[in-house]
Amino acid sequence: MNTANKITLFRVVLIPVFLFLAYTGRMPFAFAVFVLASLSDMLDGYVARHYDQITNFGKFMDPLADKVLVMAAMCFFVECGRMPGWALAVVLLREFAVSGLRLIAVERQRVIAAAPSGKIKTAATMVCLALMLLVPAPGVGDSAPDLTAQLSSAVIVLTTVYSGAEYFVKNRDVFKDVD
């Protein structure tokens, strides 16, 4: 197993650690683990490209690890009441739709590479989730809105919808003559 894939697997191992820390209220540590996991995404991509360590395992596991990390954090925030469930549903819908688009494209011997907007979406989502971990929700009985969570949720939904729409617009020809 090469270095890039080991870094990806390290990110996968960090996901339950992050969840344990978050659910036990150890937010500074949960934040640190989430940031470490997020940064490992950039590192494994750099190592894979720079040292020619791109593998089929990495092509599969790297985006899966990203999605699981993001979904885990979003589920935590939905359960805590800091993120609306519909925001998580939008993200899930986009992921399933783009995966379906890619499957149809593969049947037509075409590969749909990650678009820059998809990379921006991932980065923005990870930054917003980290910010939500860093900035606590207003206290019990505090009538102030949770602006950090509201703005973060809005950025996540907007970048998700934009990148998903871009995938479909740029690859609409995949659907020509679909049975």
Side-chain angles (χ1 to χ4, degrees):
M1 177 164 295
N2 66 35
T3 303
N5 289 341
K6 287 177 184 175
I7 295 168
T8 299
L9 287 177
F10 174 68
R11 182 164 62 260
V12 171
V13 169
L14 288 178
I15 295 167
V17 174
F18 159 73
L19 285 172
F20 172 79
L21 293 168
Y23 277 100
T24 57
R26 297 176 175 108
M27 298 318 281
F29 298 108
F31 168 78
V33 169
F34 185 84
V35 169
L36 179 62
S38 297
L39 292 174
S40 76
D41 178 37
M42 292 188 308
L43 179 62
D44 69 12
Y46 171 79
V47 169
R49 287 184 300 277
H50 188 74
Y51 295 103
D52 194 28
Q53 295 185 2
I54 296 171
T55 64
N56 287 333
F57 176 82
K59 288 178 190 176
F60 168 75
M61 188 55 78
D62 177 64
L64 180 61
D66 295 343
K67 287 169 184 37
V68 173
L69 176 64
V70 164
M71 296 302 163
M74 289 183 73
C75 285
F76 170 75
F77 286 123
V78 167
E79 190 171 343
C80 292
R82 291 194 71 199
M83 180 176 282
W86 63 263
L88 174 59
V90 167
V91 172
L92 285 169
L93 174 63
R94 183 255 187 219
E95 296 306 333
F96 285 128
V98 170
S99 294
L101 174 66
R102 285 189 164 126
L103 286 173
I104 294 169
V106 164
E107 287 180 0
R108 295 169 178 255
Q109 285 75 47
R110 183 165 152 197
V111 174
I112 298 175
S117 66
K119 292 181 183 287
I120 291 167
K121 181 237 359 148
T122 299
T125 298
M126 288 180 172
V127 167
C128 287
L129 293 171
L131 187 61
M132 288 175 67
L133 289 164
L134 187 63
V135 178
V140 176
D142 188 350
S143 62
D146 189 351
L147 290 177
T148 301
Q150 291 173 350
L151 290 173
S152 294
S153 295
V155 168
I156 290 168
V157 167
L158 290 173
T159 57
T160 296
V161 169
Y162 178 83
S163 70
E166 184 181 59
Y167 272 101
F168 280 88
V169 169
K170 286 187 174 183
N171 297 288
R172 63 186 171 273
D173 59 307
V174 167
F175 294 106
K176 288 185 181 171
D177 303 322
V178 172
D179 296 341

